[in-house]
Amino acid sequence: MKTRSHFHLKKGKEFEVKELFRDFSGKIREHFGGKTENLSILDIGCASGELLYFLKRDMMTSGKVWGFDISDELIKNAYERFGEEAGINFFVDDAESFKLEQKFDVITLSSVLSYFDD
């Protein structure tokens, strides 16, 4: 897997909501018939956590919300920005080899495939 650049590192909770975030939210709401208050969400390659933070707030979910990235620096940044206060669990792992015993209602993988060689 290619190394990721860290243009995702940011300060504070303010960020520009991408149209893709709104698209994800709309599709998720549509799929679950608007019942999003207890959804569990996993974001693979979460970078600095903006998508997860947006989805947790937009869905108003009280379900578990987790994200991981291969970069220690990005996960530290995500946790500092959104983790504890928002109730999002961030951890370091590799998208090619991760294993979780948990199940999730929604799993996102956005802007990650371009980092793989194969």
Side-chain angles (χ1 to χ4, degrees):
M1 185 156 83
K2 300 177 206 170
T3 304
R4 295 179 75 164
S5 64
H6 290 120
F7 65 90
H8 293 286
L9 290 175
K10 299 177 183 150
K11 296 196 184 290
K13 290 185 179 162
E14 298 301 316
F15 61 92
E16 184 176 335
V17 175
K18 297 176 183 176
E19 192 63 31
L20 180 65
F21 294 6
R22 294 182 206 287
D23 291 345
F24 277 173
S25 178
K27 292 293 182 189
I28 293 166
R29 285 178 189 286
E30 182 180 315
H31 181 78
F32 289 97
K35 297 180 180 171
T36 61
E37 60 276 352
N38 294 310
L39 290 181
S40 59
I41 304 169
L42 171 66
D43 186 17
I44 299 171
C46 67
S48 61
E50 292 173 354
L51 173 59
L52 276 178
Y53 183 70
F54 173 80
L55 290 176
K56 180 159 178 68
R57 283 186 23 220
D58 196 53
M59 300 283 140
M60 294 190 286
T61 184
S62 61
K64 64 186 171 200
V65 178
W66 291 21
F68 74 83
D69 200 280
I70 196 167
S71 167
D72 293 330
E73 194 173 14
L74 286 173
I75 290 301
K76 181 180 180 216
N77 185 240
Y79 185 78
E80 287 171 353
R81 293 175 72 201
F82 308 118
E84 192 170 356
E85 182 182 324
I88 301 172
N89 183 20
F90 292 104
F91 61 100
V92 176
D93 212 332
D94 184 335
E96 290 184 295
S97 61
F98 82 98
K99 291 185 180 22
L100 289 176
E101 300 295 322
Q102 313 225 2
K103 293 184 179 189
F104 293 86
D105 298 308
V106 175
I107 299 175
T108 58
L109 179 90
S110 174
S111 303
V112 172
L113 294 179
S114 62
Y115 289 99
F116 290 91
D117 294 325
D118 296 323

